[in-house]
Amino acid sequence: MYGFEALTFNINGGYLEAIVRGHRAGLLTAADYNNLCQCETLDDIKMHLTATEYGSYLQNEPSPLHTTTIVEKCTLKLVDEYKHMLCQATEPLSTFLEYITYGHMIDNVVLIVTGTLHERDVQELLEKCHPLGMFDSIATLAVAQNMRELYRLVLVDTPLAPYFSECITSEDLDDMNIEIMRNTLYKAYLEDFYRFCQKLGGATAEIMSDLLAFEADRRAVNITINSIGTELTRDDRRKLYSNFGLLYPYGHEELAVCEDIDQVRAVMEKYPPYQSIFAKLSYGESQMLDKAFYEEEVKRLCLAFEQQFHYAVFFAYMRLREQEIRNLMWISECVAQNQKSRVHDSVVFIF
Amino acid sequence: MERFIDNWPPMDLMRSEKMTLVQLIVPVESAHRALSYLGELGLLQFRDLNADKSPFQRTFVNQVKRCAEMSRKLRFFKDQISKAGLLSSMRPVMQPDIELEELEIQLAEHENELIEMNANSEKLRQSYNELLEFKIVLQKAGGFLVSSGSHAVSERELNENVYSNNDYVETASLLEQEMRPGRSDQSGLKFISGIICKSKALRFERMLFRATRGNMLFNQAPADEEIMDPVSYEMVEKTAFVVFFSGEQAKTKILKICEAFGANCYPVPEDITKQRQITREVSSRLAELEATLDAGIRHRNKALTSVSIHLAKWTNMVRREKAVYDTLNMLNFDVTKKCLVGEGWCPIFAKTQIQAALQRATIDSNSQVGVIFHFMDAVESPPTYFRTNKFTNAFQEIVDAYGVARYQEANPAVYTVITFPFLFAVMFGDWGHGICLLLGALVLIARESKLSAQKLGSFMEMLFGGRYILLLMSLFSIYCGLIYNEFFSVPFLIFGGSAYKCRDTTCSDAYSAGLVKYQDPYPFGVDPSWRGSRSELPFLNSLKMKMSILLGLAHMNLGIILSYFNARFFHSLLDIRYQFVPQLIFLNSLFGYLSLLIIIKWCTGSQADLYHVMIYMFLSPTEDLGENQLFWGQRPLQIILLLLAIIAVPWMLFPKPFILKRLHTERFQGRTYGMLGTSEMDLEVEPDSARQHHEDFNFSEVFVHQMIHSIEFVLGAVSNTASYLRLWALSLAHSELSTVFYEKVLLLAWGYDNLVIRLVGLTVFAFATAFILLMMESLSAFLHSLRLHWVEFQNKFYHGDGYKFKPFSFASLTEDED
């Protein structure tokens, strides 16, 4: 019942919405980032972060600090918050929350499979996995030799199983295959998530379709740019685009035939929402594109909080925190490697 | 009169302490010592002079970091001690004070030692675990693989084992079929044995099944002992397993799966004699390792105990040091970089103490130059500081919960000490319940020293914090209960006999014709004969309602009178003339008159209808009162009062804003320049300070403000008076509820001549009394009393926009922690 969420939403979702809005209030502000950017050492960063909500997670770390520790602890906080919310959630919110993690799950699967392909140690790989995308038998991924086995042995138990139906081949795994698998999975995941949100209806569907469409379009652009100059055929490329979003279907046709970044740009500038993103970039440049997309995403995610009684705030909060952790990682890396002039290159202010 | 008021002895709680802004100029060498002495004293609140700097740009950031690092180490020790199960609450042994630097070195040593020991014991623990697991696997797997010379025998025995040990009948038979052809190929069947966490066993088996496409046999047996996880120190249940399979490819797969699941594989020889031999070896090595481990743990515990003796002291010390450096960070360097300049608030009475402390610091640190300490002019309003004791503290908290008093404003907490419990008791009047509360309060007070030392739950802590409020509330409710003459709703003849008796000896017409009065009224409180009579409720309601209005009016008048003292104190003649006087007149000409009527009616026993009098006072003031006349000259008095009330409204509305406007124009007449602040002050003004801005005088804003105030007061006079009727309503509810429990539960059950029913009735009555009447009712009466104070009383005079005095003090530091 669109427009009538206010009547019933708070029965199950009110408490969690309050919690997530409270968490959002704890996101670092521009003032925090300004202070962080002035830090001289990682200890300074730790000291500043102990004054924020990260305090209790960092205060017990011994002093020669590493960037990985900071990131790990910050992620731990996010995971703790997520788990707390998941425990409290009822249907359909709990399914919605689970959907948020599938993206990480796909990334983890790809990470492990690629890692084993290059004969890395499984334990080492597991440490690199995003904790939100962990599932029980993730370590067993190393056993699989090809996609069919991958599916039959491990993934059939996970929520990713249905997404796999499109990419089961008996080919041996190689880098190219894996990358295609990642994108196919992601496509299936986004489409499924999109359908799920549509089913939920109301403000959730409205806001989530906007956010997911942006995500799908961004992936389409990235796929196009990354596949320029590879042996991926146009049809294959076309198949990797998600079947929704602003670019669907005509933009996809045009993107599929792009040969260089300026052609992509020409395609994207036909779409007013993306015009502003590309307007910031000079011709032939694709380095800053990621940041521009992130900035746009953050803007949209923040807008999700303007409306009440919908689930998109959970999605938005998780994404914003992830962005914040990315920012912290970048700042810490810059500080650790004495590259402070580059601090602002990749930090996306949230507020 | 004026002089008389001015000569009143000062009382601590009436107004907050006089504060002053002080400046400290401390030589760098004695700064640390001076601040720690000040922290012990705890009477100076520092202002942050470096608010624009981020924490790591401040002067003493390195020391703060070191302290944070040390407290981290201390937390690590505490964690280790509690993990080792040692008691850390040992009495600290007296020991010489150590310097911070020394402590830092000591802590680092201890930490390194501990980490090394932990690493060693972890290594040992790991090899111990491995051996233990190996032993378990040997025991369990040995059962599956009893082998002797020929494979055929081994297989048969194996199958038997399967039959006897497990219920895997189907699997076993399947194996049997599959294995028969394998008998010719002697090397076809291989096995891997190992151990895995019990929680993972099921998934492990499923994965194995999938990976080998079912061509395997999985046997498992739970381990008898739990194995300690070396990382989390938790005991984990494990399961030994043996997997039979054939083929080299399957082997690599299974090994990979084992690795992925964290299952440890151990080779078990098929030969039974070899097995026994290995088991013996393992057992002996286990015993050795166990001894080593024990020695290690003992050593570690000893080290931890030596730390734990000092732990509390060290923690305290580090915490203090950190606080000192945090405060030092609030100070500024002066131009020469040899002195630190600090500003802060302190109560005037503390001046000598602070100076003495600073003197001591100078001497103790052998500084050449003393600390300069002088008063400064302040633009912003000082913090509010009340010196409370354990009795008044809770009442001050009640007031502060609404808003901290403006600096030197009349403090309502003084009156709250009595009025709050009294108004509570008016609603909770029952001396039986009062005695129960009293007992509770006395228990809390008697165990005060013990309870204040330990940590309480949030509810208990609240109760304990309010123990003196509880004491006064219970005393007053006993008093009010005696007036209402209710003991668990039962009236008693305590103060002599009832004034009423039946008309004749049979008392048959008591309910129809009523009783007759035959002697003087009952000397104290309500006559017990009212109880159970038909006119009980009308009588009590009328009594309590009128009483509520009288109490409410007295309470509100007290509030208005306090606004007079406030205005006097702040020398605001305007407020006295155009706010206090009309307010007093307005309230008393209407509701003061009503109170007067009530008292006259009580004294004369008149039958006049007060509703009628009050209503027609407004509707037709000139009309004759008729039988409702209570005293001579009532009508002219009413007209005068009404006129006064009507005059009072514009009186409090119009003059004040116009006079303010005139004052403002007079002050700035002919001036083309703005006021000059002293340049020094302007530089140091913080942007967010509570500085009073004189600049703009916006007449319309002032007028609207005054209008809101006046309307609020005029309407409030009616609604607040009505609000005090809650005293009557809650008191009625309380007595009715307790009557219901007494009559419908206790007396009903007592009517049966059955012990069980009586006991049940008694328990129900006791629980209802305890939970509904003593807990819920007292809570509701508490809240209503709170409201009467916050809204009806305090809105007459209380601004409550001050901020609390938060001195730099070590004592408050320990409270904050944990």
Side-chain angles (χ1 to χ4, degrees):
Chain A
M1 263 208 306
Y2 185 51
F4 291 92
E5 291 97 344
L7 276 180
T8 53
F9 183 86
N10 280 347
I11 298 170
N12 289 323
Y15 173 63
L16 280 172
E17 191 181 351
I19 293 228
V20 83
R21 280 175 191 274
H23 284 326
R24 173 193 170 266
L27 288 171
L28 298 180
T29 59
D32 287 319
Y33 283 120
N34 278 335
N35 277 332
L36 284 172
C37 291
Q38 292 168 9
C39 289
E40 296 289 340
T41 62
L42 286 182
D43 277 339
D44 287 347
I45 291 184
K46 174 187 163 190
M47 190 164 160
H48 190 87
L49 286 181
T50 39
T52 66
E53 288 204 345
Y54 291 113
S56 54
Y57 287 88
L58 280 172
Q59 65 174 4
N60 280 344
E61 289 311 306
S63 216
L65 216 55
H66 297 288
T67 317
T68 43
T69 333
I70 294 181
V71 174
E72 199 177 293
K73 292 293 161 185
C74 295
T75 316
L76 184 67
K77 175 176 150 56
L78 175 65
V79 174
D80 283 351
E81 285 168 357
Y82 173 78
K83 282 188 179 149
H84 177 238
M85 291 196 287
L86 189 64
C87 285
Q88 303 283 336
T90 50
E91 282 296 332
L93 179 54
S94 52
T95 315
F96 183 88
L97 285 174
E98 276 163 8
Y99 263 108
I100 295 176
T101 62
Y102 293 167
H104 293 294
M105 242 181 236
I106 295 171
D107 286 343
N108 284 352
V109 169
V110 172
L111 178 76
I112 301 255
V113 172
T114 329
T116 38
L117 201 66
H118 295 269
E119 287 171 1
R120 298 273 196 78
D121 182 34
V122 181
Q123 287 306 322
E124 194 184 308
L125 289 171
L126 281 179
E127 278 165 23
K128 282 188 189 161
C129 285
H130 197 285
L132 277 181
M134 286 302 224
F135 48 92
D136 287 337
S137 42
I138 191 163
T140 349
L141 285 171
V143 182
Q145 298 294 329
N146 57 33
M147 291 207 204
R148 192 176 292 279
E149 266 190 349
L150 201 63
Y151 176 69
R152 208 174 48 79
L153 284 182
V154 192
L155 294 173
V156 75
D157 281 343
T158 66
L160 298 183
Y163 306 150
F164 241 84
S165 53
E166 289 205 17
C167 55
I168 297 179
T169 51
S170 297
E171 287 175 58
D172 275 354
L173 294 164
D174 60 41
D175 280 340
M176 179 86 167
N177 271 341
I178 292 171
E179 209 45 46
I180 291 177
M181 175 183 89
R182 181 212 294 270
N183 284 307
T184 325
L185 282 177
Y186 228 99
K187 172 194 172 178
Y189 156 61
L190 281 178
E191 284 172 2
D192 189 31
F193 198 5
Y194 184 76
R195 270 195 303 278
F196 176 73
C197 291
Q198 292 302 320
K199 210 172 70 197
L200 288 176
T204 310
E206 188 192 12
I207 298 169
M208 280 310 290
S209 65
D210 180 49
L211 294 175
L212 288 175
F214 179 77
E215 178 78 21
D217 292 344
R218 179 171 68 176
R219 291 198 75 85
V221 172
N222 281 338
I223 290 168
T224 314
I225 292 175
N226 290 336
S227 64
I228 288 170
T230 59
E231 55 204 45
L232 200 69
T233 62
R234 286 174 182 179
D235 281 345
D236 285 345
R237 196 195 277 178
R238 175 75 191 76
K239 271 186 210 153
L240 295 177
Y241 300 151
S242 306
N243 287 331
F244 66 98
L246 216 54
L247 299 177
Y248 176 77
Y250 304 112
H252 287 172
E253 301 296 338
E254 291 183 58
L255 274 183
V257 297
C258 285
E259 294 292 338
D260 61 44
I261 175 97
D262 285 334
Q263 285 180 10
V264 175
R265 185 192 184 102
V267 174
M268 295 303 285
E269 279 183 342
K270 290 178 193 162
Y271 293 87
Y274 302 118
Q275 213 170 10
S276 59
I277 295 177
F278 280 85
K280 288 180 201 157
L281 307 175
S282 50
Y283 275 88
E285 186 191 25
S286 62
Q287 301 293 320
M288 296 298 282
L289 186 63
D290 271 343
K291 193 190 175 193
F293 266 125
Y294 277 136
E295 273 172 359
E296 177 70 16
E297 189 191 10
V298 162
K299 212 189 296 170
R300 286 168 187 241
L301 291 171
C302 285
L303 284 178
F305 284 94
E306 299 294 310
Q307 212 167 330
Q308 228 186 325
F309 309 127
H310 62 92
Y311 292 156
V313 281
F314 297 97
F315 179 79
Y317 171 69
M318 300 295 288
R319 282 300 170 93
L320 286 175
R321 263 288 182 222
E322 280 162 25
Q323 180 61 45
E324 183 175 291
I325 292 168
R326 270 198 297 275
N327 287 343
L328 285 176
M329 179 156 74
W330 179 260
I331 294 174
S332 316
E333 279 298 342
C334 286
V335 168
Q337 299 177 11
N338 262 329
Q339 298 268 331
K340 280 185 65 185
S341 53
R342 296 192 54 202
V343 156
H344 287 280
D345 284 3
S346 177
V347 173
V348 181
F349 289 172
I350 293 177
F351 295 115
Chain B
M1 173 71 188
E2 298 254 311
R3 195 173 300 149
F4 174 69
I5 292 174
D6 286 335
N7 288 340
W8 274 351
M11 211 174 110
D12 284 343
L13 269 182
M14 284 286 202
R15 296 188 188 283
S16 60
E17 289 297 330
K18 278 209 175 85
M19 308 294 278
T20 175
L21 186 65
V22 293
Q23 192 177 38
L24 295 169
I25 301 176
V26 199
V28 176
E29 65 266 23
S30 64
H32 181 268
R33 200 176 288 267
L35 269 136
S36 25
Y37 286 165
L38 286 178
E40 266 158 38
L41 193 63
L43 282 169
L44 190 62
Q45 172 181 358
F46 283 92
R47 292 207 309 186
D48 194 354
L49 300 179
N50 299 322
D52 51 333
K53 287 187 186 166
S54 59
F56 49 85
Q57 287 171 330
R58 300 189 178 203
T59 325
F60 295 94
V61 60
N62 282 327
Q63 282 86 336
V64 172
K65 267 189 211 163
R66 270 166 57 197
C67 289
E69 180 69 17
M70 277 192 270
S71 54
R72 184 195 63 74
K73 280 174 189 155
L74 288 169
R75 278 197 300 271
F76 172 69
F77 292 143
K78 202 175 167 190
D79 192 41
Q80 291 289 321
I81 288 168
S82 69
K83 252 187 196 167
L86 296 174
L87 286 174
S88 59
S89 61
M90 271 181 256
R91 286 275 108 208
V93 191
M94 283 310 288
Q95 62 205 323
D97 284 341
I98 45 170
E99 287 294 309
L100 198 65
E101 284 73 21
E102 244 175 87
L103 179 62
E104 196 174 7
I105 298 165
Q106 274 195 28
L107 285 181
E109 274 172 14
H110 281 297
E111 196 197 17
N112 286 339
E113 194 186 355
L114 208 57
I115 287 176
E116 206 174 302
M117 274 195 276
N118 279 351
N120 283 341
S121 75
E122 204 170 296
K123 251 184 246 160
L124 279 176
R125 170 68 60 185
Q126 215 147 17
S127 41
Y128 176 78
N129 275 356
E130 269 170 26
L131 280 175
L132 191 62
E133 283 176 1
F134 192 15
K135 193 178 144 196
I136 292 169
V137 172
L138 278 173
Q139 281 170 359
K140 298 293 170 187
F144 298 130
L145 322 149
V146 184
S147 84
S148 55
S150 87
H151 265 273
V153 182
S154 104
E155 270 168 30
R156 202 172 306 135
E157 277 188 19
L158 178 128
N159 291 343
E160 278 164 13
N161 269 319
V162 168
Y163 275 116
S164 56
N165 284 359
N166 296 334
D167 296 329
Y168 288 155
V169 184
E170 277 178 46
T171 334
S173 61
L174 199 135
L175 180 94
E176 232 171 348
Q177 286 161 7
E178 264 183 48
M179 283 303 133
R180 290 246 156 89
R183 201 184 290 173
S184 55
D185 179 12
Q186 298 246 323
S187 62
L189 188 69
K190 291 176 183 163
F191 70 89
I192 290 174
S193 53
I195 195 159
I196 190 172
C197 277
K198 200 175 181 186
S199 53
K200 287 185 189 167
L202 197 68
R203 268 185 289 121
F204 181 59
E205 188 183 350
R206 196 188 314 152
M207 189 59 64
L208 285 174
F209 187 83
R210 277 195 203 133
T212 57
R213 296 169 186 263
N215 292 328
M216 59 104 201
L217 174 68
F218 186 80
N219 281 325
Q220 56 178 351
D224 304 326
E225 306 168 59
E226 290 188 333
I227 291 165
M228 188 190 262
D229 189 54
V231 185
S232 64
Y233 290 96
E234 273 170 21
M235 300 305 273
V236 188
E237 276 186 70
K238 293 215 168 184
T239 304
F241 65 87
V242 182
V243 192
F244 299 95
F245 58 91
S246 62
E248 198 56 40
Q249 217 180 359
K251 185 180 175 185
T252 49
K253 262 188 196 169
I254 290 173
L255 281 175
K256 262 188 178 173
I257 293 173
C258 288
E259 193 191 354
F261 273 89
N264 300 325
C265 299
Y266 300 96
V268 178
E270 290 187 47
D271 186 13
I272 199 145
T273 46
K274 228 178 178 179
Q275 244 182 52
R276 290 215 181 101
Q277 192 190 336
I278 290 179
T279 315
R280 262 200 306 282
E281 257 173 51
V282 166
S283 300
S284 69
R285 277 184 60 197
L286 260 181
E288 261 171 50
L289 260 181
E290 206 157 347
T292 331
L293 258 180
D294 277 350
I297 287 174
R298 244 178 287 132
H299 183 56
R300 185 162 159 268
N301 281 356
K302 220 162 82 187
L304 280 177
T305 322
S306 72
V307 172
S308 79
I309 294 169
H310 306 290
L311 195 64
K313 191 190 158 102
W314 286 349
T315 317
N316 202 13
M317 185 174 157
V318 169
R319 204 182 288 150
R320 281 173 174 225
E321 287 297 323
K322 185 158 183 287
V324 167
Y325 285 117
D326 274 336
T327 315
L328 277 173
N329 270 335
M330 291 181 171
L331 308 189
N332 244 341
F333 267 111
D334 77 336
V335 208
T336 58
K337 293 264 170 194
K338 279 176 187 155
C339 290
L340 284 164
V341 182
E343 280 175 29
W345 296 102
C346 77
I348 283 179
F349 73 85
K351 188 189 160 195
T352 47
Q353 284 165 280
I354 291 174
Q355 271 170 337
L358 294 175
Q359 196 83 44
R360 210 147 42 89
T362 314
I363 295 165
D364 288 354
S365 53
N366 294 325
S367 173
Q368 304 284 316
V369 201
V371 181
I372 300 170
F373 174 78
H374 62 90
F375 294 151
M376 281 169 61
D377 287 334
V379 201
E380 66 207 89
S381 132
T384 310
Y385 174 45
F386 293 108
R387 273 193 284 178
T388 54
N389 53 29
K390 63 183 176 183
F391 180 77
T392 48
N393 187 39
F395 294 98
Q396 188 67 51
E397 289 294 316
I398 286 182
V399 172
D400 285 352
Y402 176 78
V404 177
R406 186 180 275 187
Y407 175 61
Q408 293 256 291
E409 188 179 27
N411 181 16
V414 183
Y415 315 96
T416 307
V417 172
I418 294 303
T419 53
F420 184 87
F422 179 70
L423 289 186
F424 168 86
V426 171
M427 295 180 263
F428 198 75
D430 187 313
W431 58 282
H433 297 149
I435 286 173
C436 294
L437 282 191
L438 181 65
L439 290 179
L442 286 179
V443 166
L444 284 179
I445 290 169
R447 302 178 62 190
E448 192 174 68
S449 53
K450 203 176 149 198
L451 284 175
S452 57
Q454 71 197 57
K455 268 194 89 61
L456 306 164
S458 66
F459 180 74
M460 196 57 198
E461 185 145 358
M462 216 159 60
L463 209 61
F464 179 69
R467 60 197 180 281
Y468 287 104
I469 303 183
L470 202 64
L471 176 75
L472 284 191
M473 289 194 312
S474 61
L475 288 177
F476 277 111
S477 54
I478 292 172
Y479 170 71
C480 282
L482 287 173
I483 291 181
Y484 296 159
N485 208 342
E486 284 183 13
F487 176 85
F488 294 110
S489 83
V490 186
F492 276 85
L493 285 163
I494 313 172
F495 304 101
S498 169
Y500 302 94
K501 65 171 185 180
C502 299
R503 284 167 195 275
D504 50 34
T505 45
T506 55
C507 228
S508 55
D509 57 350
Y511 262 91
S512 48
L515 309 172
V516 284
K517 193 176 173 192
Y518 75 108
Q519 63 177 39
D520 286 341
Y522 191 68
F524 184 84
V526 175
D527 195 311
S529 297
W530 285 107
R531 167 80 191 184
S533 68
R534 266 198 311 172
S535 49
E536 181 196 4
L537 268 187
F539 170 74
L540 281 180
N541 282 350
S542 143
L543 173 77
K544 285 176 178 172
M545 202 184 332
K546 284 168 182 157
M547 196 178 67
S548 312
I549 288 177
L550 290 183
L551 290 175
L553 206 81
H555 205 204
M556 285 191 291
N557 268 322
L558 175 64
I560 295 178
I561 288 169
L562 283 178
S563 83
Y564 166 74
F565 284 106
N566 260 347
R568 250 185 69 83
F569 187 84
F570 293 113
H571 303 293
S572 164
L573 207 57
L574 210 64
D575 278 340
I576 298 181
R577 281 190 191 152
Y578 305 107
Q579 203 140 318
F580 163 69
V581 176
Q583 280 185 355
L584 199 67
I585 289 175
F586 183 83
L587 184 71
N588 286 308
S589 63
L590 299 181
F591 295 100
Y593 175 60
L594 175 63
S595 310
L596 181 75
L597 290 184
I598 289 172
I599 292 169
I600 291 177
K601 191 179 166 182
W602 273 350
C603 294
T604 59
S606 151
Q607 297 283 316
D609 183 3
L610 295 187
Y611 295 116
H612 193 270
V613 175
M614 284 310 287
I615 289 169
Y616 280 89
M617 176 176 167
F618 293 98
L619 292 183
S620 50
T622 52
E623 208 171 85
D624 192 34
L625 285 161
E627 58 184 7
N628 287 327
Q629 177 144 3
L630 278 161
F631 54 92
W632 180 84
Q634 193 177 357
R635 195 161 55 120
L637 179 69
Q638 279 190 5
I639 295 172
I640 292 169
L641 287 177
L642 195 61
L643 285 175
L644 278 176
I646 291 170
I647 292 167
V649 177
W651 187 355
M652 65 180 110
L653 173 59
F654 293 113
K656 193 179 163 189
F658 284 103
I659 290 172
L660 279 177
K661 189 184 177 193
R662 207 190 65 220
L663 284 178
H664 182 259
T665 44
E666 268 172 15
R667 189 187 296 155
F668 290 100
Q669 204 171 30
R671 265 193 229 167
T672 41
Y673 304 108
M675 287 247 289
L676 272 178
T678 51
S679 55
E680 191 191 350
M681 265 175 206
D682 274 356
L683 286 175
E684 285 169 11
V685 159
E686 288 162 60
D688 53 352
S689 69
R691 187 181 173 185
Q692 277 142 6
H693 296 276
H694 300 283
E695 292 88 50
D696 295 329
F697 180 81
N698 191 341
F699 177 71
S700 59
E701 201 173 286
V702 173
F703 190 77
V704 168
H705 199 68
Q706 185 66 18
M707 199 157 78
I708 293 172
H709 263 286
S710 312
I711 293 174
E712 195 191 330
F713 182 82
V714 171
L715 295 183
V718 183
S719 65
N720 290 354
T721 312
S723 185
Y724 277 95
L725 289 177
R726 74 184 67 231
L727 293 175
W728 155 55
L730 264 101
S731 154
L732 175 72
H734 182 83
S735 79
E736 287 302 306
L737 210 57
S738 46
T739 311
V740 166
F741 287 131
Y742 175 69
E743 280 181 0
K744 300 295 173 202
V745 177
L746 195 63
L747 288 189
L748 194 75
W750 229 247
Y752 293 92
D753 196 17
N754 184 332
L755 189 67
V756 178
I757 292 179
R758 283 184 176 187
L759 275 180
V760 168
L762 197 65
T763 4
V764 171
F765 175 73
F767 272 94
T769 304
F771 287 104
I772 296 180
L773 292 173
L774 285 178
M775 279 171 69
M776 307 217 345
E777 273 281 295
S778 68
L779 199 65
S780 96
F782 183 94
L783 289 178
H784 280 285
S785 178
L786 201 63
R787 185 224 142 91
L788 286 179
H789 278 85
W790 280 356
V791 180
E792 273 75 25
F793 176 53
Q794 290 184 7
N795 77 0
K796 301 286 184 293
F797 65 99
Y798 191 60
H799 294 286
D801 54 356
Y803 62 102
K804 243 183 176 165
F805 177 57
K806 288 196 198 79
F808 164 58
S809 137
F810 291 147
S812 64
L813 219 62
T814 38
E815 285 167 22
D816 287 347
E817 204 71 12
D818 313 323

